[in-house]
Each structure stands twice: as C-alpha cells, then as structure tokens.
Amino acid sequence: MNKNIVLIGFMGSGKSMIARQLGQRLKVEVVATDRLVEAKEGQAIDEIFKSKGEAYFRNLERDIIKDVSLRRGIVIDCGGGVVCVKENLQNLKTNGIVFYLQATPEVIYQRIKHESHRPLLKVSDPLGHIKELYQQRLPLYNQADYVIDANDASIEGPVVEIMRHLG
Ligand code: S3P
C-alpha cells in the first residue's frame, strides 16, 4: 500500500480503534497525531490546552501533520480538530486517502460523556458545545474522500467499508 489511510472525525467517532484494526489487518504502522504532539511537547493534550491554549496546540498539530503527511503506507489517526486548520487536509491528501468517520452529536456525547481528559468538553453544556462544533466542522469533514457511517457501536462495519474502498 503506497497511500496513507487518513481517519478524520469528531472525538469519540472511533478513529483510534478503527485505526488499530486497520493497522493489524493490513499489517501497516499506525500513528496518532495526538500522541505525536504529546511526545514532541512532553505534555498531555489537556495540559497543553490548559497551560498554553488551543492556538498553541493547533500550531503543534499543524507541524506534526505536515511531517506525517510526507510518509507513505501508514494509517494516520488524526485529532478531531485537524480540519480547523485549512492546510492540514491539503497536506494529508497529498499522499493519503481521507475517510471521515461520521457519528451524530448525540452518539458522540453518549460515548465520551464519562471521560475527563477532553479539554473541549470541560464546559457547562457539553452536548450543546458538541452540536455547535459539529455544525462548524461538518462542511470541513465532508471534504474527505469518503464518508463512513460510524454511529454503530461495533467498529467492524466501518473497518470493512474502508477496506472495500481501498480495493
Ligand atoms: C480535539 C480532539 C482531540 C484532541 C484535542 C482537540 C478537537 O482528539 O486533538 O483534544 O478539537 O476535536 P480526538 O479526536 O482524538 O479525541
């Protein structure tokens, strides 16, 4: 496989689990942009948000995306907000096929409401905030090469569908 498989979508859409499965089945390396950012900065994502702010995080993420987009034949599990910086999707598409894992705000909320490490959910109305971000990002996510339904709790469907698109 020469192209990268790029997974984008909101937090809680199943990107990491689906990326891991694809990596195992296709026997290719999986990289997560969030983990690369953390390794580069020596700090967890929520710490970076807290101490340096979202704009600082987005700059780090943009640089990581630029580097990782140069690679070939890997699965790239992207942070949910990669689409917020326009050049990211362009870079990811250079060597990659981009899959948007689509899940509704309600499904996302049910999946992540008990998690405490998500900086963007530390607000008084998390579901409302998810809906707002979702609306803002939807046109950007839809610039993916393929939209994959990821509302079901099982990851088997999305994994099989992505592999079918890869041929
Ligand atoms: C973010 C999603 C997170 C992480 C950061 C910001 C977002 O990644 O990059 O907390 O803006 O949606 P996951 O989608 O992997 O949780």
Side-chain angles (χ1 to χ4, degrees), residues 79-92:
V82 288
V83 291
C84 300
V85 173
K86 200 173 165 203
E87 68 178 77
N88 288 345
L89 210 49
Q90 287 162 2
N91 285 332
L92 288 161

Side-chain angles (χ1 to χ4, degrees), residues 30-94:
V30 179
V31 299
T33 61
D34 281 350
R35 301 294 82 74
L36 295 175
V37 167
E38 289 179 332
K40 187 171 178 187
E41 198 63 8
Q43 236 180 351
I45 302 284
D46 59 341
E47 287 299 325
I48 301 173
F49 266 74
K50 225 185 299 167
S51 60
K52 293 157 186 153
E54 180 171 351
Y56 183 88
F57 168 78
R58 296 289 170 216
N59 284 338
L60 287 174
E61 187 180 48
R62 184 199 55 211
D63 293 345
I64 291 291
I65 297 280
K66 209 183 217 171
D67 286 351
V68 92
S69 295
L70 298 174
R71 299 192 55 190
R72 285 184 179 274
I74 60 172
V75 178
I76 307 175
D77 164 18
C78 296
V82 288
V83 291
C84 300
V85 173
K86 200 173 165 203
E87 68 178 77
N88 288 345
L89 210 49
Q90 287 162 2
N91 285 332
L92 288 161
K93 279 188 174 182
T94 311

Side-chain angles (χ1 to χ4, degrees), residues 2-142:
N2 191 31
K3 285 272 189 181
N4 296 323
I5 301 171
V6 179
L7 302 185
I8 65 169
F10 218 86
M11 51 190 129
S13 57
K15 290 172 301 215
S16 301
M17 281 194 305
I18 292 169
R20 225 173 297 138
Q21 262 303 309
L22 289 169
Q24 279 174 18
R25 294 197 194 183
L26 301 169
K27 297 190 171 46
V28 297
E29 188 185 343
V30 179
V31 299
T33 61
D34 281 350
R35 301 294 82 74
L36 295 175
V37 167
E38 289 179 332
K40 187 171 178 187
E41 198 63 8
Q43 236 180 351
I45 302 284
D46 59 341
E47 287 299 325
I48 301 173
F49 266 74
K50 225 185 299 167
S51 60
K52 293 157 186 153
E54 180 171 351
Y56 183 88
F57 168 78
R58 296 289 170 216
N59 284 338
L60 287 174
E61 187 180 48
R62 184 199 55 211
D63 293 345
I64 291 291
I65 297 280
K66 209 183 217 171
D67 286 351
V68 92
S69 295
L70 298 174
R71 299 192 55 190
R72 285 184 179 274
I74 60 172
V75 178
I76 307 175
D77 164 18
C78 296
V82 288
V83 291
C84 300
V85 173
K86 200 173 165 203
E87 68 178 77
N88 288 345
L89 210 49
Q90 287 162 2
N91 285 332
L92 288 161
K93 279 188 174 182
T94 311
N95 291 334
I97 306 172
V98 180
F99 296 90
Y100 164 39
L101 302 180
Q102 190 279 333
T104 66
E106 288 76 12
V107 166
I108 287 161
Y109 179 63
Q110 287 308 318
R111 286 188 191 156
I112 64 181
K113 65 181 177 187
H114 299 301
E115 298 180 5
S116 58
H117 66 280
R118 304 205 181 257
L120 293 176
L121 295 185
K122 290 177 182 164
V123 292
S124 57
D125 174 18
L127 177 58
H129 192 50
I130 290 172
K131 284 183 178 167
E132 203 178 298
L133 282 178
Y134 183 87
Q135 285 310 323
Q136 283 169 15
R137 291 179 181 177
L138 195 56
L140 304 168
Y141 287 140
N142 278 327

